[in-house]
Amino acid sequence: MNEVQRHNGILSLLEEKQTINVNNIIEQFHVSPATARRDISKLDELGKLKKIRNGAERVEVKRRRWTPLNIDSTEHYEEKERIAIKAAALCQPGDSVVINCGSTAFLLGQQLCGEDVQIVTNYFPLASYLITEDHDDVIIIGGQYNKAQHIFLNPAPDSLNGYAGNWMFTSGKGLTENGLYKADMLTAVAEQQMLEQIDKLVVVVDSSKVGQRTGMLFCPAEKIDILVTGKDADIDVIKTLEKNGTQVILV
């Protein structure tokens, strides 16, 4: 685990706890007391946490909420864009693609917009973008957009069972050798219903998420066919996932 990964891990710990001490960092990341204190000092200088006696406390940072209009201001934008480009290249003409919510998912949708693929999504910003950009084949889970009449067609009550996809692309708050974690339980449960309807599951997460465990386990690692992430991802997690059969693409 390099310094960047360790710093991300420390900040993730602070999301779960209000404060941590030097021993927490030593035990969690197997580093020396000097390294733990140096990490705290560096993150304090960057304004990511507040240094306190023998530890650190969380700093509440008000992040600008991203929208399709300011997507390039989202955290790790350049890496997420590379992930989206590589993930989009997996799709073939005529494929049906399920894309779930998040900034990386939106970037993936942008890459596929205008291509000969059917996009199934439960994510309104993406659906709205695709419709505005005249993507030919958009299905919103719970209703189908009709381009000619500009209406949503309501399917049967058990509509989710009627959809199938060649690919499902999803993200999350954390990814370990155990699987993918999501913070929002309602979103996770809704997406889990699609897992049995698709051929391949692709996880698209930036490298800061790899090695982090936050929220509920969305799916075990053995269900993940492909992972697309950044080159700074935790190498130990990557090796374990590959050993267990997940294809890993680093960008």
Side-chain angles (χ1 to χ4, degrees):
M1 179 179 290
N2 61 33
E3 184 182 84
V4 172
Q5 294 164 352
R6 194 170 63 250
H7 286 182
N8 286 330
I10 292 170
L11 295 176
S12 181
L13 275 180
L14 281 172
E15 285 187 10
E16 300 175 15
K17 306 177 181 180
Q18 183 66 39
T19 62
I20 58 174
N21 58 40
V22 170
N23 285 336
N24 294 146
I25 297 174
I26 293 171
E27 294 171 4
Q28 182 76 21
F29 304 103
H30 308 293
V31 295
S32 67
T35 298
R37 292 190 178 90
R38 185 164 58 248
D39 285 342
I40 290 174
S41 295
K42 285 187 177 181
L43 290 169
D44 178 69
E45 290 172 6
L46 292 170
K48 299 292 184 68
L49 54 74
K50 182 179 179 181
K51 184 178 178 181
I52 59 175
R53 182 179 175 83
N54 201 40
E57 66 180 16
R58 185 172 59 203
V59 172
E60 298 296 337
V61 179
K62 291 186 177 180
R63 296 174 181 170
R64 183 184 180 192
R65 185 178 180 85
W66 75 268
T67 71
L69 297 177
N70 68 11
I71 183 68
D72 59 346
S73 70
T74 189
E75 284 190 299
H76 311 294
Y77 169 75
E78 290 80 9
E79 183 180 316
K80 290 179 179 179
E81 187 176 43
R82 294 196 301 271
I83 290 169
I85 292 170
K86 185 63 71 172
L90 296 170
C91 304
Q92 300 296 316
D95 280 353
S96 179
V97 180
V98 179
I99 303 178
N100 294 323
C101 63
S103 54
T104 306
F106 183 84
L107 289 167
L108 172 59
Q110 282 188 319
Q111 291 295 322
L112 291 174
C113 185
E115 300 295 327
D116 179 21
V117 295
Q118 179 184 77
I119 298 180
V120 182
T121 187
N122 61 353
Y123 192 39
F124 179 75
L126 176 57
S128 178
Y129 173 86
L130 294 169
I131 292 167
T132 301
E133 295 298 317
D134 286 334
H135 186 75
D136 282 335
D137 200 348
V138 182
I139 293 179
I140 301 174
I141 295 176
Q144 183 171 3
Y145 177 73
N146 184 295
K147 183 178 177 182
Q149 299 181 34
H150 303 288
I151 61 173
F152 293 108
L153 302 175
N154 294 321
D158 295 328
S159 59
L160 218 53
N161 294 327
Y163 294 121
N166 302 104
W167 303 92
M168 178 173 172
F169 295 89
T170 193
S171 189
K173 293 293 288 184
L175 176 71
T176 71
E177 57 277 356
N178 294 321
L180 179 67
Y181 292 81
K182 289 181 179 283
D184 189 309
M185 184 176 294
L186 292 178
T187 300
V189 171
E191 292 177 9
Q192 281 175 332
Q193 297 177 44
M194 286 296 295
L195 286 177
E196 303 304 320
Q197 310 295 116
I198 49 97
D199 296 329
K200 287 187 178 292
L201 175 64
V202 183
V203 170
V204 287
V205 292
D206 65 77
S207 57
S208 72
K209 308 292 196 315
V210 179
Q212 308 307 318
R213 185 177 63 182
T214 303
M216 67 169 285
L217 183 65
F218 170 72
C219 70
E222 55 265 26
K223 282 188 173 290
I224 302 172
D225 296 290
I226 301 174
L227 165 65
V228 187
T229 188
K231 293 179 180 178
D232 289 330
D234 188 315
I235 191 63
D236 292 330
V237 175
I238 295 300
K239 286 181 177 179
T240 302
L241 290 172
E242 288 180 321
K243 183 179 178 180
N244 292 333
T246 298
Q247 178 187 348
V248 178
I249 301 173
L250 301 177
V251 299

